Amino acid sequence: MKVLVTGGAGYIGSHTVVLLIEAGYEVVVFDNFSNASKESIRRVEAIVGKKIVVVEGDIRYREDLAKVFSSHKIDAVIHFAGLKAVGESVEQPLRYYDNNVNGSVVLCEVMSEYNCKSIIFSSSATVYGDPHTTPILEDFPLSATNPYGRSKLMVEEILRDVYLSDNEWKIVLLRYFNPVGAHASGTIGEDPNGLPNNLMPFISQTAVGKREYLSVFGNDYDTVDGTGVRDYIHVIDLAQGHLNALDRIRNFNEPMTINLGTGNGYSVLEMVEAFEKASAKKVPYKIVERRVGDIATCFADPSYAKEVLDWEATRGIDEMCEDTWRWQSQNPNGYII
Ligand code: NAD
Ligand code: WQD
């Protein structure tokens, strides 16, 4: 089976490519390298001991995609390509809608032309907005508070409409909670540009000495210690969820919407403590104002994934922190070598 992985050079994509190749899938990576380094591909090749087929192109340009589909018989697409910075999406909404929504539309059009109608889409727990209760089930109300989140909601709806127009489509919408961690080799991992937006890379850059201290965004939430609680999931567990979905996609008779989370919530301070233990480094922090748009608590009910994908996360918070630390300490400047 040949799988096209859009965004396959990025953080989650690169880890998924490793697992796909190890499981015997043929893989074509498609990426415009807008938020990825070619070094990540070389590192993946070193892990799997094989050359990877990579096409540099943009999902918004049908000629780029047509080139791939005309030269490879693609059976299914795992669609990671997208922009993901929430704050940036507020400043540049049109860029986000063009890239994430328009790009996904063009991708589906070209897939349809080449009669490839199986797609796994990277959605996000952000589509639940501020949930009224936790754990979060897939049928909870949906909302978006920023263009990034809205782009995910839009693509989910577009894909459901595509299915309604043509029931041959096989569609899996995976809603990720908070991906963290890295491959156990420490050679691939998350490599944010500039100041990290997300907690885990900020903690690890502080531990390695690149940042002076972590700003903890508020300690007056209604949580165990007042800091925000999230469902952190190891990127390898997340990647495995895609393989389970791919394995079963032919048997799904309607679009499937599935949470990928662990079901456990950890506070910011619990994450700091776990990271200090894993790295044997201090992570200095200061409590600052709440970040606009943040919610107190978000964690998944992952039971539907267990039921329909026979998938559950197996890696705990210690392994998430240890693997992040191995990547960060071996590559203090990410893929810049
Ligand atoms: P990433 O930025 O590391 O990977 C995305 C990849 O897509 C990058 O390699 C980038 O170069 C590529 N890309 C972007 N626009 C493209 C385009 N127009 N054409 C071709 N390639 C393009 O991000 P990630 O963390 O690996 O996230 C992967 C997907 O999962 C994204 O869609 C993201 O929105 C979604 N997601 C991520 C998180 C998270 O916290 N990391 C959570 C939920 C959902
Ligand atoms: C986690 C917790 C912060 C940074 C975001 C996106 C979401 C999804 C995942 C893609 C919160 C606190 C953080 C810092 C802190 N991405 N924090 N200091 O906010 O759950 O979700 O990433 O789909 O769309 O919104 O993750 O890692 O940014 O924050 O105190 O420097 O850490 O307040 O409680 P979040 P995060």
Side-chain angles (χ1 to χ4, degrees):
M1 186 172 185
K2 202 178 252 196
V3 185
L4 178 67
V5 183
T6 75
Y11 171 46
I12 306 169
S14 58
H15 289 80
T16 305
V17 167
V18 169
L19 266 55
L20 285 168
I21 293 176
E22 287 175 349
Y25 288 98
E26 286 183 82
V27 171
V28 178
V29 168
F30 184 88
D31 204 298
N32 67 357
F33 294 94
S34 59
N35 195 38
S37 158
K38 292 190 178 150
E39 179 62 19
S40 77
I41 302 284
R42 286 189 280 276
R43 304 271 183 103
V44 169
E45 289 177 337
I47 293 171
V48 299
K50 261 192 195 162
K51 270 309 249 187
I52 292 173
V53 181
V54 181
V55 177
E56 187 165 350
D58 194 304
I59 51 166
R60 292 168 298 169
Y61 305 146
R62 86 186 50 241
E63 319 75 69
D64 290 0
L65 287 167
K67 224 183 284 169
V68 178
F69 282 90
S70 55
S71 47
H72 299 273
K73 168 85 191 72
I74 303 291
D75 299 296
V77 175
I78 304 183
H79 178 29
F80 292 108
L83 301 173
K84 63 166 181 177
V86 170
E88 190 181 68
S89 81
V90 175
E91 286 155 24
Q92 305 172 25
L94 299 177
R95 182 169 161 238
Y96 271 68
Y97 290 126
D98 180 38
N99 200 82
N100 294 4
V101 181
N102 178 39
S104 299
V105 170
V106 174
L107 172 65
C108 289
E109 283 172 349
V110 177
M111 286 175 67
S112 184
E113 270 166 43
Y114 287 87
N115 205 32
C116 171
K117 296 183 181 176
S118 295
I119 185 167
I120 297 173
F121 173 62
S122 301
S123 189
S124 165
T126 193
V127 300
Y128 296 114
D130 192 351
H132 56 282
T133 167
T134 45
I136 299 171
L137 281 159
E138 285 83 355
D139 62 0
F140 273 25
L142 304 177
S143 70
T145 50
N146 56 69
Y148 167 72
R150 206 160 289 120
S151 77
K152 292 292 172 192
L153 266 182
M154 286 176 176
V155 175
E156 283 200 1
E157 298 203 340
I158 288 167
L159 288 171
R160 288 194 195 96
D161 284 340
V162 165
Y163 171 78
L164 289 178
S165 73
D166 176 354
N167 294 352
E168 281 180 10
W169 277 82
K170 302 286 182 187
I171 295 168
V172 182
L173 311 172
L174 297 178
R175 292 181 178 154
Y176 313 155
F177 281 68
N178 290 58
V180 297
H183 188 264
S185 64
T187 58
I188 58 171
E190 187 171 11
D191 182 20
N193 262 332
L195 205 63
N197 297 307
N198 295 115
L199 179 66
M200 189 60 126
F202 211 107
I203 289 180
S204 62
Q205 291 193 7
T206 307
V208 86
K210 281 185 77 174
R211 312 274 164 210
E212 207 185 323
Y213 63 89
L214 166 75
S215 296
V216 175
F217 299 143
N219 67 348
D220 56 353
Y221 287 104
D222 183 16
T223 62
V224 56
D225 56 19
T227 64
V229 166
R230 297 291 183 274
D231 186 339
Y232 298 95
I233 173 168
H234 196 295
V235 65
I236 296 290
D237 281 330
L238 189 68
Q240 184 60 47
H242 294 72
L243 270 76
N244 287 31
L246 196 57
D247 238 16
R248 291 160 180 76
I249 197 163
R250 267 179 305 236
N251 306 327
F252 293 144
N253 290 324
E254 56 180 11
M256 301 293 283
T257 306
I258 306 169
N259 286 340
L260 293 184
T262 66
N264 303 312
Y266 289 101
S267 75
V268 174
L269 295 182
E270 286 171 337
M271 292 304 284
V272 168
E273 197 186 326
F275 203 88
E276 288 184 333
K277 189 175 120 204
S279 63
K281 295 276 176 195
K282 268 323 262 180
V283 179
Y285 67 84
K286 288 185 190 170
I287 307 291
V288 302
E289 287 295 287
R290 289 182 176 193
R291 184 171 63 180
V292 176
D294 268 359
I295 57 176
T297 302
C298 174
F299 60 93
D301 181 328
S303 45
Y304 192 55
K306 175 76 182 149
E307 182 191 329
V308 296
L309 297 181
D310 190 25
W311 173 91
E312 61 190 335
T314 60
R315 292 162 178 81
I317 183 180
D318 292 335
E319 198 169 348
M320 296 179 207
C321 292
E322 283 157 17
D323 289 343
T324 303
W325 178 240
R326 195 173 304 109
W327 154 252
Q328 181 72 66
S329 53
Q330 289 177 15
N331 305 273
N333 297 313
Y335 288 117
I336 299 169
I337 42 170

